[in-house]
Amino acid sequence: MAKSNAPSLDEILCSDAQDLVSKFDATNAAMEEEQSADEVEEETVAEGFCVECKDQQAQVFCEQCQEDFCEVCAGMIHRTGRRKQHVLKKLSAPEPASEGMEAADMGDSEPAADLEDMGAMDVTFSAHSGKVETAEGAFGAWIIERTKYIPLRLTLKERKYLRLLEAALNVSEYTDKIDVLMYGNKTKRMVGQIKELCAILSGLVLASDYKAGQTLFEDRQFADNAEFYQKIFEIGRRHKIMNPDRMRNEYGKLMYVLQDSQLREVQDLLEFDTCAPIKTVYAVLESVHALHILEDEMVAVATREIVARGKTQSQVRLEIKQKERAIEYLSKAYATPECPGELIRQCLYSIGDNHAFLRFNRDPCDRMLEYLKANFRPQSVESNSLSLAILHGRDGARLSHSHTNQFHY
């Protein structure tokens, strides 16, 4: 630890007042000089990094500010006022010396040419992902239309209700008792089984949270809690849309229940509707008058999917930091009492979930179609090894198709 230049107690008591004042002045001057030197050192930014955050690689140069920024900082600083008119130019990304080593660390040994094919979703998204390259309003119109079909991510409380719904559907005998051939009014059996399912849900809610269950169901009929049952069933449908591989048995039973409940004679006896519209990002933001958030081009950074394929570890870390900062910025900049920051984050994460879902489920099909068109001819076969024809009974085939029929199939 450095020795302090401050005078000791003995010096204060024994020294002359004038000497003491001059010594204090000399000490303060030395401390101020040292502090200013530290500030200059802290303000120095490494070459190639953003002057605002100082820890991100510079990607944009502002001709008016004469400074380099990362995409997130450039968007936040130049989004309003006169700075909105500043001209931003994209900088060429530097090639790190350790790129080959970092790629090897990630276990990616594929040639660069094979890594360029990132799928149709990435092409569509990257066309809207940069503030510099995007035409004004183009990204906002594109993402607003997309959010009409993107379900809202489930909250923690909704996931608890989802587990209750799965448990109730698992023990319900709806299909067994409705589809079995027996005498009696089928409509009444449907109504009875739907009410029984709702009663099971009510019991499970009461068992998991006694106070909440008492508030909902004490001295009430099924029709009085129609909104609660609609909410539970909507959560199950929304979860299935986002996760097609889940609820394989329970979801079929739920669909039978909801379809039968829409029959006029069933609704007359049931006295309430079991269906509610699916919650989408668009519907939620529209209900709180916050659709203008999607017009901010920072949404592109906040919702893009981080794909590690063909990138170094440093590039992946950079994109993750940019995404986190963009989400934090949007949730604070547009938060209102009607639209809290947590709701904005939920909507942004929902859009990101949808991008990941499409890449995982749709892009392989698009890539397969591209390979098919590039390597096979629909009308002729170049060799037997390139024939797509199948024959019934051979290699497990159940049909016989010629090469042309199988190509189009």
Side-chain angles (χ1 to χ4, degrees):
M1 181 180 293
K3 186 177 180 181
S4 174
N5 295 323
S8 65
L9 180 61
D10 292 337
E11 291 175 338
I12 293 174
L13 296 175
C14 301
S15 300
D16 184 60
Q18 186 63 33
D19 296 339
L20 187 62
V21 170
S22 61
K23 190 165 186 178
F24 265 118
D25 291 341
T27 302
N28 291 337
M31 292 176 65
E32 289 177 359
E33 184 178 353
E34 184 179 352
Q35 184 177 0
S36 62
D38 292 341
E39 290 177 354
V40 171
E41 185 177 351
E42 286 179 0
E43 290 178 357
T44 304
V45 182
E47 184 178 355
F49 282 79
C50 173
V51 298
E52 182 68 19
C53 61
K54 301 180 181 63
D55 62 350
Q56 300 294 320
Q57 196 77 29
Q59 297 165 303
V60 176
F61 174 75
C62 178
E63 292 186 349
Q64 283 71 26
C65 300
Q66 291 293 307
E67 290 178 330
D68 297 335
F69 300 93
C70 65
E71 284 186 355
V72 177
C73 292
M76 288 190 289
I77 292 173
H78 295 87
R79 63 182 301 274
T80 57
R82 291 186 178 181
R83 288 191 176 187
K84 194 174 183 180
Q85 309 301 325
H86 287 192
V87 179
L88 303 176
K89 288 189 176 180
K90 197 156 191 175
L91 299 174
S92 58
E95 294 292 336
S98 59
E99 183 174 353
M101 295 177 61
E102 290 179 350
D105 291 341
M106 295 181 70
D108 197 347
S109 59
E110 298 182 21
D114 293 338
L115 299 175
E116 292 177 357
D117 183 13
M118 301 302 291
M121 187 60 208
D122 189 60
V123 173
T124 305
F125 184 68
S126 62
H128 298 278
S129 61
K131 180 178 176 63
V132 182
E133 300 174 354
T134 305
E136 187 174 356
F139 175 77
W142 177 77
I143 197 66
I144 286 175
E145 181 64 25
R146 288 274 294 106
T147 53
K148 293 180 180 179
Y149 313 100
I150 298 178
L152 192 68
R153 177 191 275 199
L154 299 183
T155 62
L156 180 61
K157 186 175 182 180
E158 288 176 334
R159 292 184 185 278
K160 292 180 180 178
Y161 285 140
L162 174 66
R163 289 197 290 271
L164 296 180
L165 175 63
E166 289 178 329
L169 290 171
N170 188 39
V171 300
S172 173
E173 299 179 347
Y174 184 86
T175 51
D176 297 334
K177 294 189 176 180
I178 299 301
D179 295 334
V180 67
L181 187 61
M182 60 184 297
Y183 297 102
N185 192 320
K186 188 174 182 179
T187 302
K188 289 183 178 180
R189 293 206 309 274
M190 289 179 180
V191 173
Q193 289 302 308
I194 293 173
K195 286 186 176 181
E196 182 177 323
L197 177 61
C198 292
I200 295 173
L201 280 172
S202 304
L204 291 174
V205 171
L206 188 64
S208 61
D209 190 341
Y210 182 75
K211 287 187 178 180
Q214 221 177 12
T215 305
L216 279 171
F217 308 115
E218 188 176 15
D219 299 328
R220 289 191 177 187
Q221 301 298 321
F222 288 106
D224 298 329
N225 292 306
E227 187 176 346
F228 172 76
Y229 298 126
Q230 289 173 0
K231 177 183 177 180
I232 293 284
F233 295 140
E234 186 273 334
I235 289 172
R237 291 156 57 206
R238 183 160 27 118
H239 176 71
K240 181 63 175 179
I241 292 172
M242 296 186 291
N243 304 274
D245 57 318
R246 304 289 180 86
M247 297 177 66
R248 291 190 179 273
N249 296 324
E250 293 85 354
Y251 189 74
K253 197 179 297 184
L254 176 62
M255 285 297 99
Y256 281 122
V257 171
L258 298 181
Q259 288 173 7
D260 292 343
S261 70
Q262 297 305 300
L263 298 174
R264 184 183 298 276
E265 56 271 22
V266 173
Q267 281 196 344
D268 291 341
L269 293 174
L270 199 58
E271 297 180 347
F272 71 94
D273 192 2
T274 57
C275 295
I278 296 292
K279 277 188 180 180
T280 62
V281 174
Y282 181 90
V284 171
L285 290 179
E286 186 181 35
S287 66
V288 294
H289 311 290
L291 279 175
H292 60 279
I293 297 174
L294 299 177
E295 297 176 358
D296 192 317
E297 290 175 353
M298 278 295 132
V299 175
V301 183
T303 59
R304 67 182 175 188
E305 186 190 6
I306 309 300
V307 182
R309 187 182 182 191
K311 299 177 184 176
T312 62
Q313 291 180 358
S314 59
Q315 288 174 321
V316 173
R317 286 194 296 268
L318 173 63
E319 291 184 5
I320 292 173
K321 285 185 178 180
Q322 288 178 340
K323 181 174 181 178
E324 291 174 348
R325 291 184 53 151
I327 292 173
E328 193 64 24
Y329 158 71
L330 290 168
S331 61
K332 289 181 178 179
Y334 292 99
T336 63
E338 191 178 15
C339 180
E342 192 59 37
L343 181 62
I344 297 174
R345 287 192 192 92
Q346 186 183 6
C347 292
L348 294 174
Y349 284 132
S350 300
I351 298 172
D353 291 345
N354 185 256
H355 290 323
F357 174 81
L358 290 178
R359 174 174 295 280
F360 185 79
N361 291 278
R362 193 200 69 181
D363 283 11
C365 300
D366 292 339
R367 195 173 294 115
M368 186 64 190
L369 291 174
E370 290 175 5
Y371 290 151
L372 186 66
K373 292 176 181 177
N375 298 301
F376 297 91
R377 296 178 182 177
Q379 302 298 336
S380 60
V381 182
E382 295 181 0
S383 64
N384 290 333
S385 60
L386 295 177
S387 175
L388 299 175
I390 59 175
L391 184 64
H392 172 72
R394 179 178 296 178
D395 297 330
R398 297 297 185 92
L399 301 171
S400 294
H401 276 177
S402 64
H403 171 84
T404 301
N405 288 346
Q406 187 67 6
F407 178 91
H408 291 297
Y409 175 78

